[in-house]
Amino acid sequence: MKRLRPSRWTGQLLLAGAGSGGRYGCASRRPAQHLVALSSSSSSSIRSQSSAAAAAAAQEEELAYDGTDHERFPPLDRIRPADTSYPSPAPERALQSAKLAALHARLSLSPKIPLQTLARTLVDASADGNPQFNNSNLAFVGQTLINYHVTEWLMVRYPRLPMSIIFSAMQGYAGDKPLHQVARSWGIEPAAAPGGEVDPGLLQFSAHKPGVSLVKFGYKRTEAEYLEKFKWRRGISSRIVFDDDFGQTVKATPGSEAEQSLEQQDGEEGEEGPVPVMQYGNADTRSAAETAHAHAVRATVGAVYAHCGREAVKNFIKSHILSRTLDVSKLFMFKSPTSELATLCAREDFEPPVARLLSETGRASRTPVYVVGIYSGKDKLAEAAGPNLDHARWAAAMNALKAWYLYSPGENVRVPSDMLSEGAKPWEPAHIDIGEVISR
Amino acid sequence: MEAQLLRRPAASCKCLLKPSSSTTSASLPITAIRTKLTASRHRRALNVPPHPSMLLTPSSSADHILFNPPSSAPSVYHTPFKFLPKSDPRRRANLPSLFASSTTINYNPDSTSSSSSTTDLPPVVLEAELKQKTHHLTKEDVEEMRRLREQDPVANTVQNLANKFRCSKLFVMMCCQAPREYRDQKQAQMEAIKNRWGPRRSAAREDRKRRLDMLFRGEL
């Protein structure tokens, strides 16, 4: 049996650097205006058009000569005129980018990961629609790996968490918002606008034109439009089956709806008059920026996996994503904690919970404090302080329920993927709880 | 400094704490009441001596562990002993807790387990929680309850039905519903009352509800 060499599978990530030959040689760069016609048109016609465009650009450059002595003051960045016609920077320019080299060094990435791949992780699908030059396939691999490792760790670390809390915790570790923060902490900066002439070390996305990238699992529900219209309830089981990894409904084909709405908007505005300059930082642009940053992080994880393998990506996820602090106890919300606790005690064959007054102060004053403990038989389950007896009792019941749900076998639990490394100790079965106390 | 601390043993500060007489239950454990008449005496009395583990006694060696955590709410990440699953090693390692929580084994032969548990534990907040559930109502009882409520909702109020059938008001409300006209009438009465509320009272009620929601979200 031959040994698999994953590092050789990553040749396609460098396809533009390879120049010619191989399966992907025909996928040469083409100007932005021919994005849609790629599959039907032949490569020769594309090439001739691009060379014509380059010649025209060179003429324009000569015409625009402003008297600067280029011998004495060489331009800072030598960009071929053809590059500016591409939707994203050419891969070979990645080697000249100081920002990219700095990012590579700052993340302590392995030298096996070439700068071209790192440059590709920074090109969002909204900047370059060609999946051979944007990061959507790397981001898909990355999100799969991140979600797998986060779910596995949550399941072993907190075996009694209800599914809704697991969804929120997943969102808190691997959702768009935390990964956006990760990207910011890595020093990834967005370009003002995407294009072939910008530094490849900048994150390129378009806040106004969403790209088409499949970076999620999940089914589109047939009743999707009624869910929002009539506020239908989505049960947890159906969320697990149909929705994405965070329990959120999957929208119709990603990007298509948003593009349609944008086109409609453009049409309406076109009739009224000139298109107003879109203000930086409305809700849509912010969410687009968040998604683009998150996809860049996911794509980086995918690149680490593609070039360095399983163990490296596991360490990378552990050190950059799982190491973040999330207080899981803050994610809970209860409706009737006392009855839920009574149900729990009945299910587990404990004595029914009884609230007992541990101490109090200022009963006759304006601001009394009561400390109430919840007892089951002789054992105290939890305690809490409150401004009146009912609040203290409910808070104590909530604390008792949280103490039940947040049971953990230990700080450094072993996860199933630890068994994939060679010479691992035999696996001891993880604790699996019998299920949720009440169904939601 | 050390001699001064030792001169005032911890027992002398007990005069500060008196059991409160305002509450009904006599066994309320700790309720601090100001007994000093002047501020200076009170301040002096509040000068609490340090925890015994902070004092260096001749018997203790030079380096020993100080365990005197500040009083704070217990963390929910600390699983109580009863909630540990059977397979958890912490459960097997902590045999004293296992025996202490057992209701069948009693180490004090003088008293029965039930009486000792009631005397040792703090007083209950709601007496109703101590009542055993009897589950004595049958299907016919529930149908009778529904019939009575439907027949005459004014005479057969929820409270009256609960007293009659010896169950809780919650159970009555789970079982039966007043007729539609009666509910509408009550609703209108309540609306009229709410309309008489001024801005302060309605704002206070809204705030109370908001505080309750915050409590259930764990924000308070």
Side-chain angles (χ1 to χ4, degrees), chain B residues 32 43 51 55 101 148 153 180 199:
Chain B
R43 192 166 53 242
H51 192 267
L55 299 176
S101 73
L148 287 174
R180 164 69 73 180

PDB file of all heavy atoms in Angstrom, chain B residues 32 43 51 55 101 148 153 180 199:
ATOM      1  N   ALA B  32     -27.616  39.446  61.052  1.00  0.00           N
ATOM      2  CA  ALA B  32     -26.846  40.439  61.791  1.00  0.00           C
ATOM      3  C   ALA B  32     -27.737  41.607  62.172  1.00  0.00           C
ATOM      4  O   ALA B  32     -28.496  42.105  61.334  1.00  0.00           O
ATOM      5  CB  ALA B  32     -25.688  40.920  60.937  1.00  0.00           C
ATOM      6  N   ARG B  43     -18.104  50.580  65.253  1.00  0.00           N
ATOM      7  CA  ARG B  43     -16.924  50.344  64.433  1.00  0.00           C
ATOM      8  C   ARG B  43     -15.941  49.446  65.152  1.00  0.00           C
ATOM      9  O   ARG B  43     -15.359  48.535  64.582  1.00  0.00           O
ATOM     10  CB  ARG B  43     -16.284  51.683  64.071  1.00  0.00           C
ATOM     11  CG  ARG B  43     -15.226  51.566  62.999  1.00  0.00           C
ATOM     12  CD  ARG B  43     -14.873  52.920  62.438  1.00  0.00           C
ATOM     13  NE  ARG B  43     -14.498  53.889  63.446  1.00  0.00           N
ATOM     14  CZ  ARG B  43     -15.149  55.007  63.672  1.00  0.00           C
ATOM     15  NH1 ARG B  43     -16.219  55.299  62.960  1.00  0.00           N
ATOM     16  NH2 ARG B  43     -14.774  55.845  64.610  1.00  0.00           N
ATOM     17  N   HIS B  51      -9.162  35.338  60.277  1.00  0.00           N
ATOM     18  CA  HIS B  51      -9.492  33.923  60.245  1.00  0.00           C
ATOM     19  C   HIS B  51      -8.380  33.124  60.927  1.00  0.00           C
ATOM     20  O   HIS B  51      -7.202  33.490  60.833  1.00  0.00           O
ATOM     21  CB  HIS B  51      -9.640  33.491  58.784  1.00  0.00           C
ATOM     22  CG  HIS B  51     -10.252  32.145  58.611  1.00  0.00           C
ATOM     23  ND1 HIS B  51      -9.503  31.009  58.497  1.00  0.00           N
ATOM     24  CD2 HIS B  51     -11.544  31.753  58.553  1.00  0.00           C
ATOM     25  CE1 HIS B  51     -10.311  29.972  58.363  1.00  0.00           C
ATOM     26  NE2 HIS B  51     -11.562  30.409  58.396  1.00  0.00           N
ATOM     27  N   LEU B  55      -3.471  33.099  61.255  1.00  0.00           N
ATOM     28  CA  LEU B  55      -2.600  33.340  62.414  1.00  0.00           C
ATOM     29  C   LEU B  55      -1.503  32.291  62.459  1.00  0.00           C
ATOM     30  O   LEU B  55      -1.741  31.112  62.197  1.00  0.00           O
ATOM     31  CB  LEU B  55      -3.430  33.275  63.695  1.00  0.00           C
ATOM     32  CG  LEU B  55      -4.548  34.314  63.780  1.00  0.00           C
ATOM     33  CD1 LEU B  55      -5.353  34.080  65.034  1.00  0.00           C
ATOM     34  CD2 LEU B  55      -3.955  35.699  63.773  1.00  0.00           C
ATOM     35  N   SER B 101     -24.620  12.137  52.247  1.00  0.00           N
ATOM     36  CA  SER B 101     -25.831  12.400  51.497  1.00  0.00           C
ATOM     37  C   SER B 101     -26.802  11.230  51.540  1.00  0.00           C
ATOM     38  O   SER B 101     -27.937  11.353  51.099  1.00  0.00           O
ATOM     39  CB  SER B 101     -25.487  12.713  50.047  1.00  0.00           C
ATOM     40  OG  SER B 101     -25.089  11.525  49.411  1.00  0.00           O
ATOM     41  N   LEU B 148     -68.325  21.986  37.447  1.00  0.00           N
ATOM     42  CA  LEU B 148     -68.634  23.019  38.437  1.00  0.00           C
ATOM     43  C   LEU B 148     -68.170  24.392  37.952  1.00  0.00           C
ATOM     44  O   LEU B 148     -68.886  25.383  38.072  1.00  0.00           O
ATOM     45  CB  LEU B 148     -67.959  22.686  39.767  1.00  0.00           C
ATOM     46  CG  LEU B 148     -68.566  21.538  40.561  1.00  0.00           C
ATOM     47  CD1 LEU B 148     -67.715  21.221  41.766  1.00  0.00           C
ATOM     48  CD2 LEU B 148     -69.982  21.894  40.987  1.00  0.00           C
ATOM     49  N   PRO B 153     -69.058  29.983  37.527  1.00  0.00           N
ATOM     50  CA  PRO B 153     -67.679  30.426  37.767  1.00  0.00           C
ATOM     51  C   PRO B 153     -67.552  31.433  38.902  1.00  0.00           C
ATOM     52  O   PRO B 153     -66.464  31.594  39.455  1.00  0.00           O
ATOM     53  CB  PRO B 153     -67.273  31.036  36.428  1.00  0.00           C
ATOM     54  CG  PRO B 153     -68.533  31.371  35.758  1.00  0.00           C
ATOM     55  CD  PRO B 153     -69.563  30.397  36.221  1.00  0.00           C
ATOM     56  N   ARG B 180     -66.409  31.534  28.302  1.00  0.00           N
ATOM     57  CA  ARG B 180     -65.863  32.642  27.534  1.00  0.00           C
ATOM     58  C   ARG B 180     -66.360  34.012  28.031  1.00  0.00           C
ATOM     59  O   ARG B 180     -65.584  34.953  28.202  1.00  0.00           O
ATOM     60  CB  ARG B 180     -66.227  32.424  26.059  1.00  0.00           C
ATOM     61  CG  ARG B 180     -66.096  33.617  25.159  1.00  0.00           C
ATOM     62  CD  ARG B 180     -64.660  34.018  24.936  1.00  0.00           C
ATOM     63  NE  ARG B 180     -63.952  33.100  24.056  1.00  0.00           N
ATOM     64  CZ  ARG B 180     -62.665  33.272  23.723  1.00  0.00           C
ATOM     65  NH1 ARG B 180     -61.995  34.288  24.222  1.00  0.00           N
ATOM     66  NH2 ARG B 180     -62.069  32.427  22.930  1.00  0.00           N
ATOM     67  N   PRO B 199     -48.790  57.019  35.273  1.00  0.00           N
ATOM     68  CA  PRO B 199     -47.531  56.670  34.615  1.00  0.00           C
ATOM     69  C   PRO B 199     -46.537  55.985  35.551  1.00  0.00           C
ATOM     70  O   PRO B 199     -45.814  55.087  35.140  1.00  0.00           O
ATOM     71  CB  PRO B 199     -46.996  58.014  34.126  1.00  0.00           C
ATOM     72  CG  PRO B 199     -47.721  59.036  34.909  1.00  0.00           C
ATOM     73  CD  PRO B 199     -49.053  58.465  35.240  1.00  0.00           C
TER      74      PRO B 199
END
